[in-house]
Amino acid sequence: MTSGKNALRFGIQGLPVPPEYGGGGADTLTTVCALEALGYGCKDNGFLFSLNAHMWTTEIPLMAFGTEEQKRRYLPKLISGEWIGLHCMTEPGSGSDAYSLKTRAERKGDRYVINGSKTFITNTIYGDLFIVFANVDPSKGANGVTGFLIEKGTPGLVVGQKLHKMGLRTSPMSEVALVDCEVPAENILGKEAAGRLSSRIRWSGNAPAFWPAILE
């Protein structure tokens, strides 16, 4: 992982992020060309996989849906390589049907208590910032899904042992358990019950474009 963190110091992982957060402010084509060139030059496909997971499933959702405080708190660390990000959506019983997840978040005052489990999560062993999706109101189905920002070391956030894989072995993957994990309400990513939107991203033109409904 040391060599990977050294590579992050070049700044490629911050290309699509605005300069005010420490990024490169690059357009889509520049970012894609840089990643393609890295793919040709880098022999470690596991690192490439982890890098892209860090960029597209942590930095971009944070940039699109985070509050100004969240962006200034987390993006500089993610862009510098000081912190590694990961995206916790997949569960033992919900893979392609991601929004049928069973992880629950119950509001208690100014906090949420999260319980559930995730699996096949990339970057877990070295992860610092977890974007965790949980349902705050199961009666709403997928519309109750909400994203939460959880830092490593938060009580109740447990990373399991590294899973064995046939390939991409330098990209760590494991299960994540949430056991009465308390998260401040201000750590919601986007709006409550908007996780279905904050996990969907499309690219258009010269910058990341996001489903219009989230801007409403």
Side-chain angles (χ1 to χ4, degrees):
M1 191 60 186
T2 300
S3 59
K5 286 197 172 183
N6 287 336
L8 293 179
R9 294 194 181 100
F10 286 103
I12 191 170
Q13 72 282 359
L15 280 178
V17 180
E20 56 262 37
Y21 305 113
D27 59 28
T28 304
L29 183 59
T30 300
T31 302
V32 170
C33 286
L35 289 170
E36 183 178 17
L38 180 62
Y40 279 111
C42 180
K43 297 180 180 180
D44 186 348
N45 287 334
F47 168 70
L48 297 174
F49 189 87
S50 282
L51 172 63
N52 279 274
H54 171 86
M55 292 175 65
W56 309 126
T57 70
T58 306
E59 289 181 349
I60 297 300
L62 183 58
M63 185 174 76
F65 308 110
T67 63
E68 188 63 25
E69 180 183 359
Q70 289 171 345
K71 293 176 186 178
R72 295 198 178 277
R73 180 175 182 179
Y74 295 120
L75 281 175
K77 293 180 179 179
L78 293 169
I79 291 168
S80 70
E82 178 184 352
W83 278 27
I84 303 297
L86 54 152
H87 189 101
C88 300
M89 172 70 84
T90 302
E91 298 186 357
S94 60
S96 56
D97 185 15
Y99 299 113
S100 65
L101 56 82
K102 301 299 182 184
T103 299
R104 298 290 180 256
E106 180 182 359
R107 180 105 188 213
K108 291 188 176 182
D110 62 350
R111 309 180 77 79
Y112 286 83
V113 179
I114 304 177
N115 284 281
S117 62
K118 305 292 182 177
T119 192
F120 304 132
I121 307 302
T122 298
N123 290 342
T124 43
I125 294 176
Y126 303 111
D128 299 286
L129 181 64
F130 296 61
I131 296 182
V132 175
F133 290 87
N135 202 316
V136 298
D137 187 352
S139 68
K140 295 181 179 179
N143 292 324
V145 175
T146 303
F148 295 88
L149 298 170
I150 307 179
E151 296 181 19
K152 178 180 70 175
T154 299
L157 177 67
V158 183
V159 175
Q161 293 185 347
K162 183 178 179 180
L163 298 175
H164 176 75
K165 300 189 293 182
M166 292 182 65
L168 301 177
R169 294 182 180 178
T170 54
S171 177
M173 178 181 285
S174 67
E175 295 183 342
V176 174
L178 299 114
V179 184
D180 291 332
C181 183
E182 293 191 12
V183 181
E186 59 264 28
N187 280 33
I188 284 180
L189 180 60
K191 301 176 182 178
E192 182 179 274
R196 185 174 184 177
L197 299 171
S198 60
S199 64
R200 298 167 65 185
I201 300 172
R202 64 185 173 88
W203 285 82
S204 176
N206 292 326
F210 307 94
W211 300 109
I214 106 119
L215 300 177
E216 297 177 355

